Amino acid sequence: MNIRFFLCASAFAACVPLASAQQQQSHVRRATENGGFMQGGMHHQVATGVTLDQKLDTAAHAITLRVGPLNLPANTSHMKMPQPADLTWTIPLTGWLLSYHPHLVDASGNTVPGVVLHHVAFWNENRSDFLCPNKEEHIFGAGGELTDWASMPGFGYRVQKDDRIRVETMIHNPTPISYDKAFLEIEIRYLDDASPAPVKNFYPAWMDVGMCGNSGYDLPAGPSEKTGTIGVKFDGVLLGVGGHMHDYAKQIVLENTTGKKTIATLQAKTDDKGQLQNMPVAIFLATGGEKLSAGDQLKVTATYDNITGKLLRQGAMGIVVGYFVPTSDAQFASFRHPAKTPRHNMHDMHDMKDMPNMSHDQ
Ligand SMILES: [Cu+2]
């Protein structure tokens, strides 16, 4: 994930934003009477006229979501850019989502650089996260890298018709070129229940140094390390993991301290200024997956070297993201629940990237 994030190239994840709603008071952006919303103590204007459309291609088993039009004046930070309100994607079929392929185009279909995407995040309002039930299941995310979440052959994310997926999109434009009427398109491959070869269910697993709280944290100057521990309550396997970190990242390590085993060490790739280029992905599919047992404690350790010489407020995240396949899928049915009543004009930000002085800011 390198969504600066994720299992990217391979498989899963992406950067992003984590956390759901009510618990994340500090990142909540709320509508105000004038139509702006508070975010990180700043008012954002809401971009008007942005809608989410879906095109279902049953022959290709592909859904294309289209968010826009997005107006992207040159050299505009995400704090100054009018932002789309949260949108809802209503799942059109019962089946499995297999992969996500995001890209950006203009009204004529020409490619728009992905860097104008600050992030996009999908949250299933009908399910809770199995590691952090205080959060909704975070099923997809991407940032400016437009990380692909490739399919994992034989596995998919189970959805039911009319599930509500909240789509959070944040844009900015660090380039000197303005783009009018850009669209974020996400192609999603799926299988429906009529498909000849059903797949096994996986669930997204977000293992965060912030544990089940906020993902962003202040990054001190110089070398630093932050750890978090997550308890696993189910037997199963991890199919693979990616990592999500911010600029000045060094590495993130996932260990099973109960099993006394390092599951993955993901080295960040940064340029000479410390800007994050990508995070690798580790896939365990060939060996049948990395076994986890109920009661295991997982430790995540994120290491940074902030060469700016100053503390970066909410400048860091350290998340390992993977796909988990439980031994007993039936147990995971309990994470399903009715979607909450839509919160009128209220948006929950899950990403520290929204905060001022974040390293994502250009
Ligand atoms: Cu982040």
Side-chain angles (χ1 to χ4, degrees), residues 27 78-79 118 216-217 246-248 312-317 351-362:
H27 304 277
H78 70 92
M79 298 307 292
H118 197 277
Y217 61 94
H246 290 184
D247 291 344
Y248 315 111
L312 297 173
R313 201 166 89 72
Q314 297 293 315
M317 284 192 198
D351 193 344
M352 316 314 322
K353 289 186 294 183
D354 308 301
M355 306 295 287
N357 305 323
M358 300 255 341
S359 60
H360 282 271
D361 293 355
Q362 324 260 330

Side-chain angles (χ1 to χ4, degrees), residues 37 65 101 120 146 150 152 160 162 180 184 213 218 225 228 236 252 278 283-284 319 327-328 338 340 343 350:
F37 52 80
L65 301 181
H101 175 61
V120 60
L146 297 180
M152 298 290 274
Q160 293 186 9
D162 297 330
D180 289 336
L184 169 64
D218 292 347
E225 185 179 288
I252 191 160
N278 64 61
I283 301 293
F284 314 123
I319 308 168
T327 304
S328 166
K340 296 182 190 81
R343 294 174 300 272
H350 309 286

Side-chain angles (χ1 to χ4, degrees), residues 4 39 44 70-84 104 112-120 142-146 169-179 182 247 275 353-355 358-362:
R4 273 163 192 207
Q39 191 176 287
H44 275 224
L70 305 167
N71 235 345
L72 295 153
N75 300 312
T76 306
S77 76
H78 70 92
M79 298 307 292
K80 293 206 183 105
M81 187 76 80
Q83 298 294 344
L104 283 145
V112 169
V115 69
V116 301
L117 180 65
H118 197 277
H119 68 245
V120 60
E145 301 76 3
L146 297 180
T169 308
M170 179 164 287
I171 50 177
H172 64 166
N173 188 355
T175 80
I177 301 164
S178 294
Y179 297 94
D247 291 344
Q275 282 219 323
K353 289 186 294 183
D354 308 301
M355 306 295 287
M358 300 255 341
S359 60
H360 282 271
D361 293 355
Q362 324 260 330

